[in-house]
């Protein structure tokens, strides 16, 4: 299916947020996730089903002011 | 230093909060944190590609500093974006502290105070300890306190401008009105003298980033700001004299030599 990940169009096979992270190489990386602007807790990623047109955000720690 | 600063659940010795962005290198950032003797540093969340370890190594550096982290919602333009970002930050950084930014203007990076109050209410209800980045508006301050904020962070000038205090009267009025609320000047300070000035007004702390990170020598500047904040606080506690328009001799006039008019 076709979704957007961090603002970029992305063709993916994953059905859940958890498997998306694996598919895109985020495994064991420290990240937080949101699906269509709603926060998804790490422990809920396996139940977060993806659909065509979804927007996923995958964020990591960064310098900030 | 015996006098402590209470911010929510924390009791701090340092009154200088430091941003972690735009340093020449991670090593200089680490040295600047030490030189500033800061106990709170701000951090953020940004998009990262799969397989990158940049965020992780930065987070490791911050943890090694021993400072408490204050994640921000920098760049968020709606209450919804800010709330979601705060929730994500709480999971990653394992803290319920959040520096709440809802930006309303591209040129000045001025906060959208309506979105700010809305997000502050939502986050406070969810157990966050909110540090709102605000203008010096008294009514906005009142609304933020009603929304559950127990610390307020007015700007001095636009973020990264280094202008110092734009509205001295406004900051004075805010301090006078909310004398028992911790007030932190966040944004716009450029030089240690600016930091000393707001501390002399009775502000409880300052939050800096660009003034340190973009200085020619960020580590030395971090130290200079630490000294200025400490001096400003000491001066406030010592109660500065009231300025006058006319001169008043400091040396006693009575007994002056060559004073033919004296009885």
């Amino acid at each position: 299916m076709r979704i957007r990940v961090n603002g970029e169009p992305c063709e993916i096979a994953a059905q859940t947020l958890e498997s998306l992270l694996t598919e895109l190489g985020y495994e064991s990386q420290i990240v937080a996730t949101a699906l269509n602007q709603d926060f998804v807790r790490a422990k809920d990623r396996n139940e977060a089903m993806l659909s065509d047109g979804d927007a996923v955000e995958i964020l990591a720690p960064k310098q900030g002011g | 230093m015996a006098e402590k600063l209470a911010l929510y659940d924390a009791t701090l010795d340092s009154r200088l909060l430091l941003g972690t962005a735009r340093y020449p290198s991670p090593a200089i950032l680490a040295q600047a944190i030490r030189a500033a003797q800061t106990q709170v540093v701000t951090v953020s969340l940004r998009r990262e590609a799969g397989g990158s370890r940049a965020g992780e190594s930065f987070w490791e550096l911050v943890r090694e500093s021993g400072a408490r982290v204050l994640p921000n919602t920098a760049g968020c333009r709606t209450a919804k974006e800010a709330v979601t970002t705060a929730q994500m930050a709480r999971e990653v950084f394992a803290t319920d502290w959040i520096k709440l930014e809802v930006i309303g203007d591209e040129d000045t990076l001025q906060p959208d105070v309506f979105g700010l109050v809305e997000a502050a209410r939502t986050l406070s209800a969810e157990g966050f300890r909110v540090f709102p980045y605000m203008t010096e508006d008294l009514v906005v301050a009142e609304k933020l306190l009603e929304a559950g904020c127990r610390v307020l962070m007015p700007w001095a000038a636009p973020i990264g401008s280094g202008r110092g205090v734009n509205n001295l009267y406004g900051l004075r009025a805010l301090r006078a009105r909310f004398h028992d609320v911790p007030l932190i000047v966040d944004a716009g300070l450029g030089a240690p003298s600016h930091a000393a000035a707001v501390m002399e007004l009775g502000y409880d702390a300052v939050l800096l980033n660009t003034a340190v990170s973009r200085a020619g020598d960020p580590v030395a500047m971090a130290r200079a700001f630490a000294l200025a904040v400490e001096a400003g606080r000491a001066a406030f506690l010592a109660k500065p004299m009231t300025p006058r328009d006319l001169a008043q001799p400091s040396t006693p006039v009575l007994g002056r030599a060559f004073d033919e008019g004296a009885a």
Side-chain angles (χ1 to χ4, degrees), chain B residues 194-262:
Chain B
H194 301 154
V198 296
M199 294 303 292
E200 286 168 18
L201 292 179
Y203 275 78
D204 295 282
V206 301
L207 200 169
L208 302 165
N209 192 149
T210 312
V212 170
S213 66
R214 305 307 286 174
D217 183 342
V219 179
M221 190 58 83
R223 173 79 181 131
F225 267 104
L227 292 169
V229 167
E230 196 178 330
R233 180 64 183 177
F236 168 71
L237 294 174
K239 299 186 173 62
M241 66 168 281
T242 307
R244 298 165 48 92
D245 287 335
L246 297 176
Q248 186 175 45
S250 47
T251 303
V253 173
L254 193 67
R256 183 173 67 88
F258 318 117
D259 191 355
E260 298 302 327

Side-chain angles (χ1 to χ4, degrees), chain B residues 61-160:
Chain B
L61 180 155
V62 170
R63 273 186 299 202
E64 281 173 7
S65 77
R68 199 178 243 273
V69 291
L70 175 57
N72 68 27
T73 63
C76 290
R77 279 166 173 73
T78 64
K80 169 68 178 167
E81 284 178 15
V83 166
T84 300
T85 304
Q87 291 165 335
M88 296 168 88
R90 177 156 67 177
E91 182 178 79
V92 165
F93 296 112
T95 176
D96 50 17
W97 281 23
I98 191 75
K99 176 184 162 180
L100 183 59
E101 287 184 40
V102 182
I103 298 301
D105 185 86
E106 286 296 330
D107 291 333
T108 61
L109 298 180
Q110 181 167 340
D112 167 2
V113 295
F114 304 97
L116 182 69
V117 171
E118 183 188 339
R121 188 172 291 119
T122 303
L123 291 171
S124 296
E126 290 184 15
F128 282 88
R129 298 169 205 259
V130 179
F131 294 68
Y133 165 60
M134 58 180 284
T135 54
E136 67 278 27
D137 189 296
L138 292 178
V139 180
V140 170
E142 194 63 64
K143 301 283 183 198
L144 287 166
L145 294 172
E146 281 171 20
C149 298
R150 294 295 170 263
V151 174
L152 300 175
M153 299 210 298
W155 68 349
I159 294 170

